[in-house]
Amino acid sequence: MASAAEIAKRYFAAVDAHDLDAAIACWAPGAVDRFVGQEELVAPDGIRRYLGELLAAFPDFRLEVLDCTTSRNRTAVRWRAHGTFAGPGTFQGFEPTGTRVELEGCDVLTISEDLIRGNDAYLNGADLARQLGVLPAAGSPAEARLARLANLRARVRRVLAGGPAEPVAAGVWVVRGGFPVRTMNVYLIEEPEGGEGRGPGEGRGPGEGRGPGEGRDGGEGRGPGVTVFDAGIASMAPAVLSAAARLGGIRRVVLGHADADHRGAAPALGAPVYCHPAELEAAGLADPFRPYFDLSRLGPHGRLLLTRLLPVWDGGPVEIEGTVQEGDEVAGFRVVELPGHAPGLIGLFRESDRLALASDCVYTLDPQTGIKGRPRVPHPAFNIDTDLARASIRKLAELEPSSAWFGHADPLRGDVAAQLRDLAA
């Protein structure tokens, strides 16, 4: 039986000799050749197809083994290849250019019983693209223009998808994003050191045994991290992830409720998600329109706009790890049930500074236009029970908040309780 290094060298020698049959004979049927970050080829047909295309595009292709390192049944092969993109075949959809290409890379092959059982191939795809003329040369004026274009695109995306985190209060930030421009609010709440914050909701519902104070990885080695309250719309995920990364990463996501514009980014945040028990079913549905929505209550422009935007805002069904409800503690805040707009709408209230984060308990914009304005009761087109929504506004007023921040637009400051009582009257 040959050694792993001998089998690896046999395979590379066959490719260098353009002997497809001998190269394919080195592979076990069904083995996967994985070009890391690019594609996967399954032996024998996938590998034969790839090598055939490569050799037809680079007729003078040569492959040199620089060195091998073997540990048990794995061999790392560092190689150098060169050839002329002369054709007549194409390569990955590109027509021959006559360009001379030189490239170095490394393959890590798993070998047993004289056959390759798998491979992870590492190569510099950007360098290959530059040599083929797909990307401009490094340091060239064309590359500088491409960088400026990419930066402009990134700035536009930041405007539409979400800006940097803005401070709300001690240990609390808001990421504003979405369309209309920056009217969606996602809150980041710094976790107490040591993972405090587990409340009476620990282990309820899906994911029993984990509560709102426990992440999947415990946050070890990266600081306390943050709880995300409300998840905005799908396009905000990169902005939320970027802001949270600067604060130690996301420990968990708590939904104020499961409407499309409040769960949208949750599937892309890579953290356990919690909600009120009454929102469990809605969180898992694919339909962004909740059964009780009545868009006939909107004006023609509102119906036209929102029937198109809600599916775009939504990130799809959300897997729920567990539930939270009245009185549970989340990252130093107390959960307050505020139903009416949604059956399981919750807010968070912090006794120390009387800060309220109240999701869609109150609107501070016109939902049909996105224009900011006076506080108002949530629009009846989206409420399960508008009278109950008014009662929840009165309940929020009884907390005497110093400031109240909502799921959209601007907060209430000043005599917040009086404003809320007037609103609910």
Side-chain angles (χ1 to χ4, degrees):
M1 183 176 292
S3 69
E6 289 171 336
I7 298 298
K9 290 178 180 178
R10 183 185 302 169
Y11 169 62
F12 279 83
V15 176
D16 178 61
H18 296 208
D19 189 341
L20 279 180
D21 291 336
I24 299 303
C26 295
W27 285 84
V32 175
D33 191 2
R34 185 170 75 100
F35 287 74
V36 177
Q38 298 179 54
E39 61 180 322
E40 295 185 355
L41 311 172
V42 179
D45 294 340
I47 295 172
R48 182 180 292 277
R49 182 168 55 252
Y50 178 84
L51 290 178
E53 177 183 291
L54 174 71
L55 298 176
F58 296 87
D60 58 348
F61 181 83
R62 299 303 304 272
L63 182 62
E64 175 189 2
V65 172
L66 299 177
D67 55 59
C68 288
T69 302
T70 299
S71 176
R72 297 182 181 177
N73 67 336
R74 303 192 77 192
T75 296
V77 179
R78 193 167 64 88
W79 50 262
R80 179 186 295 124
H82 60 83
T84 308
F85 191 16
T90 61
F91 183 67
Q92 297 186 340
F94 294 101
E95 297 286 341
T97 61
T99 305
R100 178 76 172 173
V101 171
E102 295 185 3
L103 199 66
E104 288 191 15
C106 180
D107 284 25
V108 182
L109 300 104
T110 300
I111 298 170
S112 64
E113 299 178 349
D114 287 351
L115 292 173
I116 301 170
R117 305 289 171 172
N119 181 41
D120 293 322
Y122 300 85
L123 56 87
N124 188 335
D127 184 32
L128 177 60
R130 287 190 179 97
Q131 293 188 54
L132 293 176
V134 179
L135 287 178
S140 67
E143 184 184 53
R145 289 193 295 271
L146 184 62
R148 287 195 294 271
L149 182 61
N151 291 335
L152 175 61
R153 181 185 178 191
R155 286 192 290 270
V156 171
R157 287 186 63 186
R158 284 197 298 270
V159 169
L160 295 177
E166 305 168 23
V168 168
V172 182
W173 297 264
V174 62
V175 176
R176 301 176 186 265
F179 177 83
V181 176
R182 295 193 180 181
T183 56
M184 311 288 182
N185 296 336
V186 174
Y187 298 95
L188 309 180
I189 307 170
E190 187 174 36
E191 282 290 322
E193 291 284 353
E196 292 90 346
R198 282 186 285 262
E202 181 176 351
R204 291 197 186 100
E208 185 172 351
R210 289 194 189 101
E214 288 185 284
R216 285 193 174 93
D217 60 8
E220 294 179 5
R222 55 187 177 95
V226 295
T227 285
V228 173
F229 179 61
D230 264 356
I233 62 177
S235 65
M236 292 180 68
V240 174
L241 286 166
S242 294
R246 299 185 181 99
L247 298 168
I250 299 173
R251 290 284 299 277
R252 70 200 53 75
V253 179
V254 177
L255 301 182
H257 59 298
D259 285 4
D261 53 335
H262 294 263
R263 73 174 189 176
L269 298 182
V273 183
Y274 298 81
C275 69
H276 189 275
E279 296 296 296
L280 270 172
E281 181 179 0
L285 294 177
D287 191 347
F289 297 93
R290 299 188 69 164
Y292 55 81
F293 284 3
D294 184 1
L295 301 191
S296 68
R297 291 172 173 261
L298 300 172
H301 64 288
R303 286 196 300 274
L304 180 67
L305 186 67
L306 288 163
T307 53
R308 286 160 175 75
L309 285 179
L310 279 168
V312 174
W313 287 342
D314 195 22
V318 180
E319 180 183 350
I320 298 299
E321 184 87 356
T323 59
V324 293
Q325 49 192 279
E326 184 82 22
D328 287 353
E329 185 182 344
V330 174
F333 283 73
R334 173 164 53 90
V335 174
V336 181
E337 294 177 351
L338 300 168
H341 172 67
L345 189 144
I346 61 169
L348 301 180
F349 184 72
R350 188 164 65 182
E351 299 285 352
S352 61
D353 57 1
R354 313 203 69 75
L355 171 65
L357 308 176
S359 195
D360 274 0
C361 181
V362 171
Y363 284 174
T364 54
L365 51 62
D366 178 353
Q368 301 192 67
T369 64
I371 297 173
K372 298 177 182 180
R374 58 175 176 78
R376 64 198 77 193
V377 177
H379 198 288
F382 305 104
N383 297 341
I384 192 168
D385 187 330
T386 299
D387 289 338
L388 186 57
R390 290 182 182 277
S392 289
I393 295 172
R394 289 192 291 271
K395 179 180 179 179
L396 184 61
E398 290 171 2
L399 296 174
E400 297 286 341
S402 60
S403 63
W405 291 73
F406 305 106
H408 303 279
D410 296 329
L412 292 183
R413 294 189 175 94
D415 192 343
V416 176
Q419 295 176 70
L420 292 172
R421 282 191 285 267
D422 288 346
L423 179 60

